[in-house]
Amino acid sequence: MDKKLVLEDGSEFSGRAFGYREDVYGEVVFTTSMSGYQELLTDPSLLGQMLVMTYPMVGNYGINRDDYESMKPHLTALIVREYCDAPSNARSEKSLLEYMEKYRIPGLSRIDTRKLTRHIRERGALKGAILPAEMPMKECLEKVADYPFYTDHISRASTKNIYEVPGGGKRVVLMDFGMKMSILKALVEKGYHVSVVPHDTSSQTILEMDPNGVVLSNGPGNPEDARGPIETVKGLLGKVPLFGICMGHQLLALASGAKTRKMKFGHRGGNNAVRDHRSGKILITSQNHGYEVDSASLTGTDIKTIYTSVNDGSIEGITIPGKRAFSVQFHPESAPGPKDAKVIFEEFDTMMIHTEGR
């Protein structure tokens, strides 16, 4: 079935539908990851977005039971140059096509993804839709303009209930704003007893759990829409060690008096270099975000920058001296991606309070 991607600026890209065959809407973004499409399909940070894979062939190693980042896919569509429906990998249990059909995820192939990616880099991330090839452009643009794009991303992606993952080590509360499962796995591997809590959990409830530390997870959407979580982080600052990842990094900055802003096309991929200003070392990191902390807004706050992007100078990590709080914009759990940043979990471990009897 021939379909087309129509962007809100009037651009169109013709292709061939695969996966679930329905019209779909979302913000069109791209990733430079060469692998990891299963993790990206199930990463809650991509909720409401149509993802363009810049690597030309997708699906060649199939889908397996170990690489899910959540129980279901969150992106609205997958856009590729070519998809492979005959995977060859010992871990594969089903094809990409079978997975997308099961979970009703539309796909568009035979797209000039290089041209599309360059367009997004020049114009910025744009709203768009995958629609029938024969639909007139005027009708397509009206549909995109009238579609009710939502803003309550975090509440849609977060767990609804508190649950425990038992361990014999330090007690850690993980605030779920749209958490990747690999973050939870990384904390469990450290031996922590982890309590995962919903996005709307109050600071009082968290402090009553008497944790050694609190992790603020990744998540989708505009961080400035998350007024409740920002207030929660304010209530935790200075009272318990805090460690933010991606969305958690942005919420920590907002709670500390800074501002965030939407990036032109964001950072998505496993090849992003960041500089540690404390050691001078460079880390190659995995990233997936469309917002950043506004560096100009740090003036007058207690925030200190500890990591920046080598490519564009954007803030990639902050610390709040005296408050036992720090955060990174990149993903130290690295799934998919390089493992350089896993050392960040050691910093959190060192920061946490050691309480007798735990």
Side-chain angles (χ1 to χ4, degrees):
M1 178 188 296
D2 291 332
K3 300 198 82 169
K4 62 184 177 183
L5 170 68
V6 176
L7 302 178
E8 62 180 317
D9 66 353
S11 303
E12 66 176 84
F13 298 82
S14 298
R16 189 77 175 170
F18 73 102
Y20 189 63
R21 310 299 179 90
E22 71 171 7
D23 298 346
V24 65
Y25 302 80
E27 182 184 44
V28 184
V29 300
F30 68 87
T31 178
T32 57
S33 290
M34 297 178 67
S35 63
Y37 55 81
Q38 181 174 340
E39 292 92 331
L40 291 165
L41 280 164
T42 55
D43 185 346
S45 292
L46 289 168
L47 179 68
Q49 296 179 324
M50 296 196 283
L51 181 67
V52 180
M53 299 290 297
T54 55
Y55 192 74
M57 177 178 282
V58 177
N60 53 311
Y61 57 83
I63 300 289
N64 67 79
R65 63 178 294 179
D66 298 322
D67 292 341
Y68 293 111
E69 290 298 338
S70 61
M71 297 300 292
K72 63 179 182 179
H74 290 272
L75 51 73
T76 61
L78 184 66
I79 300 170
V80 302
R81 175 66 181 176
E82 179 182 358
Y83 82 92
C84 174
D85 195 35
S88 178
N89 188 283
R91 299 170 67 219
S92 177
E93 296 176 331
K94 65 182 68 173
S95 70
L96 173 63
L97 179 62
E98 290 172 321
Y99 179 80
M100 292 177 66
E101 288 178 338
K102 178 179 179 180
Y103 288 100
R104 303 170 69 133
I105 299 297
L108 191 63
S109 66
R110 303 183 188 178
I111 288 287
D112 186 342
T113 50
R114 178 178 291 185
K115 181 179 180 180
L116 176 55
T117 298
R118 285 180 171 175
H119 187 78
I120 295 171
R121 286 181 61 90
E122 292 172 1
R123 298 298 303 273
L126 298 166
K127 294 176 182 177
I130 296 176
L131 299 167
E134 66 277 8
M135 184 177 290
M137 178 57 71
K138 180 180 179 182
E139 183 179 351
C140 291
L141 292 176
E142 288 174 351
K143 284 182 173 291
V144 173
D146 293 341
Y147 188 78
F149 293 93
Y150 49 79
T151 58
D152 55 340
H153 292 75
I154 287 178
S155 63
R156 290 172 180 262
S158 174
T159 183
K160 307 305 178 187
N161 302 292
I162 295 175
Y163 61 92
E164 308 285 337
V165 183
K170 301 181 182 72
R171 297 181 63 89
V172 171
V173 169
L174 173 55
M175 291 200 73
D176 179 7
F177 304 125
M179 171 194 73
K180 286 179 64 182
M181 192 58 63
S182 291
I183 294 176
L184 177 58
K185 289 179 181 178
L187 297 174
V188 170
E189 287 173 1
K190 297 288 292 181
Y192 304 148
H193 180 105
V194 183
S195 302
V196 182
V197 302
H199 71 102
D200 55 357
T201 306
S202 69
S203 57
Q204 180 180 351
T205 297
I206 292 172
L207 293 172
E208 287 174 353
M209 300 170 82
D210 195 24
N212 294 107
V214 176
V215 176
L216 311 172
S217 86
N218 66 295
N222 184 343
E224 294 188 356
D225 291 338
R227 304 314 307 173
I230 293 170
E231 292 304 313
T232 296
V233 176
K234 286 181 180 180
L236 296 173
L237 264 172
K239 298 176 182 176
V240 63
L242 292 175
F243 170 34
I245 298 173
C246 199
M247 173 62 74
H249 159 76
Q250 296 161 7
L251 295 178
L252 177 62
L254 288 167
S256 303
K259 295 180 180 179
T260 57
R261 63 185 178 190
K262 188 174 178 62
M263 304 175 77
K264 186 174 182 179
F265 50 81
H267 293 167
R268 295 176 180 87
N271 49 7
N272 292 273
V274 302
R275 185 185 307 277
D276 184 340
H277 289 274
R278 300 164 299 179
S279 67
K281 292 183 178 180
I282 303 296
L283 302 179
I284 304 301
T285 67
S286 178
Q287 301 193 18
N288 187 11
H289 62 99
Y291 289 81
E292 65 175 332
V293 176
D294 184 351
S295 59
S297 71
L298 267 55
T299 302
T301 71
D302 295 329
I303 299 172
K304 303 297 180 184
T305 301
I306 53 176
Y307 292 98
T308 55
S309 168
V310 171
N311 293 327
D312 61 17
S314 60
I315 294 175
E316 294 282 359
I318 61 172
T319 185
I320 318 295
K323 295 291 181 68
R324 295 177 298 164
F326 80 107
S327 61
V328 293
Q329 182 64 80
F330 49 90
H331 282 266
E333 77 286 354
S334 306
K339 307 297 182 183
D340 294 22
K342 281 210 165 185
V343 296
I344 303 296
F345 287 102
E346 299 299 328
E347 292 190 39
F348 179 53
D349 190 75
T350 301
M351 177 184 287
M352 283 194 290
I353 300 171
H354 294 260
T355 306
E356 291 186 8
R358 292 184 179 165

